[in-house]
């Protein structure tokens, strides 16, 4: 195997194997539903620098298809930050939607009813859609001539455990 510069190396020397398990819930499509950036003077004492001062995530099930073949879920990520210009803040919000389907070729999926499918999709919204929101926030903050936003690292396993106990299904908002 060749790396840049023509150096021959065995892949085993560079990478440890990571085993991947495919889930029966599949993200078929993800896209930005909305994005908002607002730069303004602050009446509050703002910390200066590339520091995320506020961060919140919301999630909801938007809709499911009449024949229950897919579910649309959405997350809303809001971020506020102070930056180098004294007294100014930037506030961003990004909504990312995803279309989720069941992988019916997966034996585990065959026994899953629609209510359980909705609950599983609801619990997976943030871990699956957050990378899309993270990329959008980083890009839009750079375009707004403010320091790039880098969301804090999240412990997905602990977050899933913490949010599963109050895992109520949000009804469709038709």
């Amino acid at each position: 195997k060749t790396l840049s510069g023509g150096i021959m190396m065995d892949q085993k020397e560079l990478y440890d194997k990571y085993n991947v398990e495919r889930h029966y819930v599949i993200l078929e499509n993800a896209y930005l539903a909305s994005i908002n950036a607002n730069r303004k003077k602050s009446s509050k004492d703002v910390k200066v620098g590339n520091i995320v001062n506020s961060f919140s995530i919301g999630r909801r099930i938007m809709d499911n298809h009449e024949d229950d073949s897919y579910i649309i879920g959405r997350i809303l990520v809001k971020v506020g930050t102070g930056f180098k210009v004294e007294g100014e803040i930037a506030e961003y919000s990004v909504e990312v939607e995803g279309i989720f389907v069941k992988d019916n070729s997966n034996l585990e999926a065959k026994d899953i009813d629609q209510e359980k499918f909705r609950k599983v999709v609801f619990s997976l919204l943030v871990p699956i859609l957050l990378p899309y929101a993270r990329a959008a926030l980083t890009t839009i903050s750079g375009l707004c001539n403010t320091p790039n936003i880098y969301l804090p690292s999240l412990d997905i396993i602990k977050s899933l455990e913490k949010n599963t106990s109050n895992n109520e299904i949000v009804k469709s908002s038709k």
Side-chain angles (χ1 to χ4, degrees), residues 23-25 102-113:
H23 200 279
Y24 65 85
V25 173
K102 261 195 282 186
D103 177 5
N104 289 319
S105 68
N106 184 319
L107 294 176
E108 190 180 355
K110 297 213 186 287
D111 297 330
I112 304 300
D113 65 13

Side-chain angles (χ1 to χ4, degrees), residues 61-174:
I61 298 292
M62 298 296 293
D63 196 11
N64 59 288
H65 194 260
E66 296 146 2
D67 67 0
D68 294 330
S69 61
Y70 66 84
I71 292 176
I72 298 175
R74 180 183 283 196
I75 65 168
L76 168 64
V77 179
K78 291 185 176 183
V79 177
T81 185
F83 53 95
K84 292 178 182 171
V85 178
E86 284 288 343
E88 284 196 14
I89 61 170
E91 297 173 328
Y92 304 96
S93 65
V94 173
E95 289 181 289
V96 178
E97 278 186 6
I99 298 174
F100 297 86
V101 297
K102 261 195 282 186
D103 177 5
N104 289 319
S105 68
N106 184 319
L107 294 176
E108 190 180 355
K110 297 213 186 287
D111 297 330
I112 304 300
D113 65 13
Q114 192 60 18
E115 187 62 20
K116 181 164 184 186
F117 180 48
R118 287 176 63 89
K119 286 181 180 181
V120 171
V121 168
F122 187 71
S123 70
L124 293 175
L125 286 175
V126 173
I128 291 176
L129 296 179
L130 186 60
Y132 297 92
R134 183 185 303 268
L137 284 166
T138 300
T139 300
I140 199 70
S141 62
L143 292 172
C144 290
N145 197 28
T146 62
N148 284 348
I149 295 290
Y150 298 104
L151 295 182
S153 298
L154 304 178
D155 185 330
I156 297 299
I157 302 300
K158 284 184 182 175
S159 296
L160 279 171
E161 289 169 355
K162 188 175 184 178
N163 288 289
T164 300
S165 61
N166 59 356
N167 193 5
E168 297 173 24
I169 297 301
V170 178
K171 298 299 178 194
S172 176
S173 59
K174 283 187 175 178

